[in-house]
Amino acid sequence: MSDTSILTAAKRSPLLARAAAFAAVGGFLFGYDTGVISGALLFIQDDLHAGDFAQQAVVGSLLLGAIVGAAISGYTADRLSRRWTKFGSGCIYVVASIGSALSTSVGELIGFRFVLGVAVGTASFVGPLYISEMSPPKARGGLVSFNQLAVTSGILAAYLVDYGFSGVSGNWRWMLALGAVPGLVLAIGMLTVPHTPRWLASAGREDQARDVLRSIRTDDDDVDAEMDGILEETHDESSTSWRDLMAPKVRPMLVVGLGLAIFQQIVGINTVIYYAPTILKATGLGNGGAIAQTVAIGVTNVVFTIVAVSLLDKVGRRALLLTGTSGLVVSLAVLAAYFTFPTLQHDLPILALLALILYIASFAIGLGPVFWLMISEIYPQGVRGKAMSLSSMTNWGFNFLVSFTFLTLTGAIGRGGTFLLYALIGVGAVVFFAAKVPETKGKTLEEITGQVEGDYAADEAGSRSARERSRT
Ligand code: BGC
């Protein structure tokens, strides 16, 4: 397949397109369920008499559930398959969405949001994992990031649903219940698509793996060569214990994956996603204006994710990651200045919105899609499920940490100080990415593993000969 466009890939293999689309419905729910609660809380607090602590618990229980979901599904994705794990998450979405909508007490709601979180944590990485293992190398960046496009669309849908239902009685129940519909689509959809060829090969089902690969490739693709690569790696990487993540040749990529996971959250993305109206209200806007501008932020997130999806296989992951993260630093510095100097707030009130738009656009072309994409590419087959699970747990853990320190942090060092801190962290991220993140564009997953292991062997040989030289 010489054309890198995902549309071409999808047109040539409708089955591949269907598989990627259904898998990405899990991403849509990840976005919807994390985004919907900010608007719903305004009504839950009255209906269920939820105080500050209870409200934070309603928000936080989903994030804690996501950590648990990411942990469990590392095991089930290897054992039961990527496909059945996704099917399971669809079923949990349906039950937990309806359960949360029918909750009669804060305790029940917290419980159901936790269960919902298990599905969110699962879908967050098994979606990219499933799509990555199905995709042809030249279109993998766009196809996997289709999942991130679904996440951002889910967030936007949640903002719009919150807005649309805000005048309807019993509204928060509808806001939460609606998540059951895509959950059902996900579960039924996963019944109609195949297992990934790489999972089938690792389960010893080689003939089926070859059949699936043939059905999702075109006549121009060398299916036999790709299959040989998969089998070779499956034989090399047969053991899959958690301890294998610490193997010296896996460790460098684990550092990259965990670094991306942590930086994606500690540049403060979810303070903007969850608290945008609060930040905007601090610029002097009323409720209505703040919500309308929040929708503008949601639209920007979707539009720039589309830009990323179309560019990732052309300009590569590194270029987008470095450009996007540099943009984050600039916008955070502007926000820090805005909240530090009252004259700016007075003379140039629009600056906060412009900086937030630049911030979200920069995240959407870089760290947003690239983190989930890279963790689906850089780990060897034998540890891919577990290494992705650990990276996702770390990401959700830091999401929880940042979301719950934001209001305390702004209380302690002010909004200006908080955004300055995020900007400095962003500078650290640019340096780390420039030094450590490899380019994976256009390579098969097996070639990426070969390249990483080759680099590791070369480094080892280099330091061994340096040690020998220093001894003589
Ligand atoms: C992140 C989420 C974030 C979303 C925003 C995802 O890649 O993992 O934490 O809310 O992007 O678009």
Side-chain angles (χ1 to χ4, degrees):
M1 195 172 297
S2 57
D3 196 314
T4 58
S5 123
I6 62 159
L7 284 180
T8 313
K11 245 189 263 152
R12 290 190 182 179
S13 173
L15 177 59
L16 176 65
R18 186 149 49 90
F22 279 131
V25 176
F28 180 87
L29 280 161
F30 158 5
Y32 184 82
D33 283 318
T34 50
V36 80
I37 201 68
S38 58
L41 267 182
L42 298 176
F43 306 96
I44 291 171
Q45 66 191 47
D46 290 340
D47 250 19
L48 298 184
H49 312 294
D52 278 355
F53 181 77
Q55 289 182 46
Q56 290 202 23
V58 170
V59 176
S61 55
L62 180 126
L63 301 178
L64 291 178
I67 301 176
V68 174
I72 298 173
S73 49
Y75 176 80
T76 58
D78 284 347
R79 263 304 165 98
L80 304 179
S81 79
R82 289 53 169 132
R83 181 178 165 231
W84 287 123
T85 304
K86 294 247 4 148
F87 170 78
S89 73
C91 298
I92 300 178
Y93 271 130
V94 175
V95 174
S97 300
I98 296 175
S100 336
L102 297 178
S103 296
T104 52
S105 68
V106 173
E108 256 177 60
L109 183 59
I110 291 172
F112 278 116
R113 290 281 297 174
F114 179 87
V115 179
L116 201 58
V118 173
V120 171
T122 301
S124 69
F125 86 87
V126 187
L129 169 61
Y130 178 84
I131 302 174
S132 177
E133 290 188 347
M134 300 286 274
S135 301
K138 291 215 165 86
R140 191 180 53 240
L143 282 168
V144 174
S145 301
F146 197 64
N147 194 67
Q148 174 70 9
L149 181 57
V151 173
T152 57
S153 308
I155 295 174
L156 179 61
Y159 288 161
L160 293 173
V161 166
D162 280 359
Y163 189 60
F165 274 98
S166 56
V168 181
S169 77
N171 46 20
W172 67 268
R173 297 190 186 275
W174 282 109
M175 294 170 184
L176 302 188
L178 274 180
V181 179
L184 199 62
V185 173
L186 172 62
I188 294 174
M190 289 318 287
L191 295 176
T192 72
V193 295
H195 289 294
T196 76
R198 287 170 173 87
W199 181 81
L200 286 167
S202 66
R205 293 153 66 176
E206 289 179 23
D207 290 346
Q208 273 174 287
R210 197 179 293 274
D211 288 347
V212 172
L213 196 61
R214 222 167 255 135
S215 70
I216 52 175
R217 294 291 180 270
T218 66
D219 295 343
D220 305 350
D221 295 316
D222 192 344
V223 170
D224 289 330
E226 191 173 348
M227 195 62 214
D228 288 348
I230 294 175
L231 290 177
E232 199 179 309
E233 206 194 318
T234 312
H235 291 143
D236 285 356
E237 310 273 349
S238 48
S239 71
T240 59
S241 96
W242 282 96
R243 214 174 312 131
D244 292 334
L245 292 184
M246 285 294 120
K249 60 181 185 181
V250 177
R251 225 181 292 146
M253 283 307 104
L254 201 60
V255 170
V256 172
L258 295 182
L260 283 163
I262 296 170
F263 278 123
Q264 199 210 33
Q265 294 299 327
I266 61 175
V267 292
I269 179 62
N270 286 311
T271 63
V272 173
I273 298 289
Y274 304 160
Y275 296 104
T278 317
I279 298 173
L280 288 164
K281 267 175 77 177
T283 71
L285 284 175
N287 268 344
I291 291 181
Q293 295 200 357
T294 302
V295 171
I297 290 175
V299 171
T300 309
N301 200 5
V302 172
V303 169
F304 280 85
T305 306
I306 296 175
V307 174
V309 165
S310 64
L311 287 182
L312 277 161
D313 291 310
K314 298 199 179 85
V315 304
R317 290 47 164 163
R318 269 179 67 87
L320 287 175
L321 183 64
L322 293 172
T323 314
T325 315
S326 308
L328 287 181
V329 172
V330 173
S331 56
L332 285 165
V334 173
L335 281 171
Y338 178 88
F339 284 110
T340 308
F341 303 111
T343 46
L344 277 180
Q345 292 166 44
H346 184 260
D347 298 343
L348 219 58
I350 189 76
L351 195 61
L353 178 65
L354 293 179
L356 281 176
I357 299 262
L358 175 64
Y359 176 88
I360 210 81
S362 306
F363 183 85
I365 61 155
L367 256 174
V370 172
F371 161 63
W372 296 106
L373 170 61
M374 282 250 140
I375 62 165
S376 77
E377 299 184 320
I378 56 178
Y379 301 122
Q381 173 71 31
V383 296
R384 188 173 299 131
K386 293 194 172 63
M388 280 188 82
S389 153
L390 183 64
S391 311
S392 312
M393 279 165 68
T394 308
N395 186 265
W396 285 108
F398 277 85
N399 184 340
F400 181 77
L401 199 78
V402 175
S403 314
F404 281 82
T405 49
F406 178 65
L407 294 180
T408 319
L409 205 60
T410 53
I413 58 174
R415 279 178 211 281
T418 305
F419 285 119
L420 183 63
L421 180 67
Y422 292 156
L424 294 174
I425 290 172
V427 173
V430 174
V431 173
F432 176 85
F433 298 154
K436 299 269 181 213
V437 174
E439 182 55 72
T440 50
K441 178 185 86 169
K443 302 186 177 103
T444 65
L445 297 177
E446 292 70 31
E447 282 164 357
I448 297 169
T449 301
Q451 176 199 327
V452 167
E453 291 180 354
D455 289 351
Y456 169 74
D459 283 355
E460 275 290 280
S463 45
R464 205 174 316 121
S465 64
R467 272 200 303 275
E468 275 159 15
R469 267 201 309 278
S470 69
R471 241 183 266 133
T472 52

